[in-house]
Structures are given as C-alpha cells and as structure tokens.
C-alpha cells in the first residue's frame, strides 16, 4: 500500500509522540478511501526457453477489496472499479544466462509495459510500472514472464514477486 512518512521522518527531524501521532493520523486520513491491492505469488514458476508464461497470483498482501482474480484463471487480476489504475509488477529471477523479461497485458493482448534485462551471474529482477484504464466489469490484467537462456528456468517459490494495483481517488 502506498504511504508517505510523516514530514519530520522524511526530513530526518526530531519528533515527539504528539507530533508523530498527529502527522501519522493525517496521513491515514488522506489515504482513507484509497483503493489498493498487492498480489503475491508463492509457487515456483517454470519458464521454458523463448516462451511467454502467465504468472498466477495466489494471495493478497494488502487489499481494500477492489480487485479479484477471475474465477478459474489465477493469472487474471480484475479491477472491480472503473478508472485509471496505476500498476507495478516486480519479478525476482535466479542467476543465469540470457535475457529475462516481464510484461503487463490488459485483456490478454498487447503490452501495457515491458522490461527486459540481461541475466547476470547474480540474481536480477524485472519490473514494470504503467497506467491502465479499466472498466470495472469485464477488463482484466495479467503478467507474463519470458527468458532465452537456452533451457527452462525455474523462478523459485518465496522470492519477492508482486503485482500492485492502485486506483488514485481525489
């Protein structure tokens, strides 16, 4: 969930309990009515060479109840309110060779955003941040991963993969 620290914390200033509590409450009041979800993924993902693979989302880390996975399709996240949604996805990859990529799609077509990186001897991550206009009824978003190492790459379970969605409210 998006949160801004109290001003004295951001400025490395001094604080007392009254100031901290007042500014924290102000932040929480500002965020009241915001719509945000962070989906997580626990299972390992097998990614064959040169093949786009859907990422199934298994649980929510933060949820205001305004997104859901489409029944029978855990890789499809459906925003339940219309508007422009801010999207952010991050996939942690193991060390290896070749390139690694992640993309976000709307309704299973095109690419709203894509990130491709050269794999290194050490682990790396791919991430995309973008906006998508969703109708709140039939639209869904999905995330795919891809690699070209010459063999199947397993993205291990329990690495920090996430898909964040935020509907800014004014």
């Amino acid at each position: 969930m998006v949160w801004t620290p109290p001003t004295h914390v951001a400025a490395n200033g001094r604080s007392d309990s009254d100031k901290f509590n007042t500014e924290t409450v102000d932040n929480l009041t500002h965020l009241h009515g915001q719509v945000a979800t962070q989906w997580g993924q626990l299972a390992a993902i097998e990614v064959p060479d040169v093949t786009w693979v859907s990422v199934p989302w298994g649980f929510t880390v933060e949820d205001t109840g305004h997104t859901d996975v489409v029944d029978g399709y855990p890789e499809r996240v459906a925003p339940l309110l219309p508007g422009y949604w801010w999207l952010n996805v991050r996939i942690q990859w193991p060390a290896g060779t070749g390139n690694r990529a992640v993309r976000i799609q709307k309704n299973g077509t095109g690419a709203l955003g894509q990130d491709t990186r050269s794999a290194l001897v050490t682990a790396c991550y791919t991430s995309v941040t973008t906006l998508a206009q969703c109708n709140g009824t039939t639209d869904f978003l999905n995330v795919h991963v891809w690699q070209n190492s010459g063999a199947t790459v397993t993205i291990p379970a329990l690495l920090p993969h996430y898909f964040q969605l935020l509907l800014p409210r004014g």
Side-chain angles (χ1 to χ4, degrees), residues 11-92:
N12 294 321
R14 295 181 56 170
S15 178
D16 58 33
S17 61
D18 289 337
K19 184 173 184 175
F20 182 82
N21 288 335
T22 298
E23 291 189 16
T24 301
V25 169
D26 289 347
N27 268 300
L28 295 175
T29 301
H30 172 72
L31 291 176
H32 179 73
Q34 300 300 312
V35 176
T37 302
Q38 179 170 311
W39 287 91
Q41 194 277 336
L42 286 177
I45 305 169
E46 298 290 323
V47 186
D49 190 45
V50 195
T51 303
W52 286 101
V53 175
S54 295
V55 177
W57 301 103
F59 66 95
T60 56
V61 178
E62 297 284 341
D63 188 15
T64 58
H66 296 93
T67 66
D68 202 357
V69 292
V70 177
D71 288 341
Y73 299 94
E75 72 277 7
R76 296 180 180 182
V77 174
L80 303 177
L81 292 173
Y84 285 92
W85 286 78
W86 175 87
L87 313 172
N88 182 46
V89 65
R90 180 176 192 248
I91 302 292
Q92 180 77 38

Side-chain angles (χ1 to χ4, degrees), residues 103-123:
R103 72 179 178 197
I104 301 174
Q105 290 185 313
K106 178 180 164 187
N107 299 328
T109 61
L112 296 172
Q114 179 173 317
D115 179 28
T116 304
R117 302 204 180 192
S118 295
L120 304 170
V121 176
T122 59

Side-chain angles (χ1 to χ4, degrees), residues 154-168:
T154 301
I155 300 174
L158 302 177
L159 286 180
H161 318 297
Y162 57 77
F163 187 20
Q164 300 170 321
L165 299 90
L166 172 70
L167 179 63

Side-chain angles (χ1 to χ4, degrees), residues 133-157:
Q133 183 178 16
C134 297
N135 62 21
T137 55
T138 59
D139 287 337
F140 65 88
L141 304 162
N142 50 333
V143 173
H144 292 95
V145 291
W146 177 94
Q147 59 84 25
N148 67 351
S149 68
T152 296
V153 170
T154 301
I155 300 174

